[in-house]
Amino acid sequence: MLILIPTSYSREGSFSSSNRKGMMSTTSTATTMRGQLLDAVEQVFYARGIQAASMSELRDVAGLPLRRIYQLFPSKDELIVAFLRRRHERMTAAIEARVVAAISPEDQVLAIFDHLDGWFHEPSFRGCPWTNAYSELGPTNAAVAAEVDHHELEFRALVTRVVVDAGYSPEVADVIYLLVAGSVTTAGIQHSLDAALQARHGVQMLLASAQAGAAAGV
């Protein structure tokens, strides 16, 4: 027997349109607060160091109660990992956008160093956040060490892909990655803000040599 249920019938606990709107609003609010908190985390952790920052300082900068902060991230370790992962995703997206906009294969490779040069000259630049985090916590914090390792592997894969897609060999990509890593370290530790431009010049010479070798059949 077919039982027809009127469309106006609503059982207790069913998802009406107002229920769905309420859930979407709650989700949107949580996402906004999460971004607000991570903005504060980046400002405090990157500028002052992770261990020097207290949860009360994060609370003040984020403008969120501690109860809400712990609802979003139950531990400080989770905050650190989320901060590093977001930095990684933003950096790789920015580099990929520069690479796509570049015209020639050489410019695609050099776009990596153009991004680094802009980063080094930001007033807020305090060195590599992944190196900083590992120096502070990596040897004793497995979660942070794993996130730093994730960044290094993914970033090296990105550099290799850009170089190889531009028509150069994996061996050339290895050298360019070392120049990338070296420029970041030099800028962060020696405060040499032109390190990316110096490395960029070295890469130009390397690519010219590789092109000449390919033309000569070497």
Side-chain angles (χ1 to χ4, degrees):
M1 178 175 65
L2 179 64
I3 301 176
L4 299 177
I5 301 177
T7 56
S8 60
Y9 175 76
S10 176
R11 293 175 296 173
E12 182 179 357
S14 64
F15 289 92
S16 64
S17 60
S18 60
N19 292 144
R20 287 192 295 271
K21 289 179 181 179
M23 291 177 63
M24 291 173 63
S25 177
T26 301
T27 302
S28 176
T29 300
T31 300
T32 299
M33 287 191 295
R34 188 177 188 276
Q36 182 178 336
L37 175 58
L38 288 177
D39 287 343
V41 168
E42 181 156 350
Q43 178 182 336
V44 175
F45 283 1
Y46 187 54
R48 296 188 58 245
I50 295 170
Q51 297 188 89
S54 66
M55 295 303 291
S56 60
E57 185 176 4
L58 291 177
R59 173 199 62 198
D60 295 342
V61 175
L64 296 171
L66 281 176
R67 177 180 59 81
R68 176 61 68 185
I69 290 175
Y70 282 115
Q71 286 176 342
L72 294 168
F73 295 96
S75 71
K76 189 175 182 180
D77 283 357
E78 291 181 60
L79 269 173
I80 298 167
V81 170
F83 147 63
L84 293 174
R85 180 59 63 93
R86 189 174 73 156
R87 282 290 303 235
H88 170 82
E89 292 173 349
R90 288 181 170 182
M91 185 186 75
T92 54
I95 291 174
E96 287 174 345
R98 281 183 178 268
V99 171
V100 169
I103 298 175
S104 70
E106 180 185 8
D107 287 340
Q108 290 170 359
V109 176
L110 297 177
I112 300 171
F113 295 89
D114 293 336
H115 171 81
L116 294 178
D117 183 58
W119 178 32
F120 297 167
H121 283 87
E122 290 177 0
S124 61
F125 178 70
R126 297 293 183 276
C128 174
W130 298 276
T131 300
N132 297 347
Y134 188 81
S135 297
E136 285 197 68
L137 301 170
T140 59
N141 190 308
V144 171
E147 187 59 32
V148 172
D149 189 52
H150 166 81
H151 163 73
E152 294 294 338
L153 290 173
E154 291 292 316
F155 186 48
R156 182 162 195 160
L158 170 62
V159 172
T160 300
R161 175 169 55 80
V162 170
V163 175
V164 171
D165 286 352
Y168 302 97
S169 70
E171 291 76 18
V172 170
D174 289 340
V175 176
I176 290 175
Y177 175 76
L178 292 177
L179 287 169
V180 169
S183 68
V184 175
T185 300
T186 301
I189 296 178
Q190 299 182 11
H191 308 292
S192 176
L193 302 187
D194 290 331
L197 292 181
Q198 294 167 357
R200 187 183 192 277
H201 180 63
V203 170
Q204 285 179 304
M205 292 189 292
L206 175 64
L207 297 182
S209 176
Q211 290 170 347
V218 178

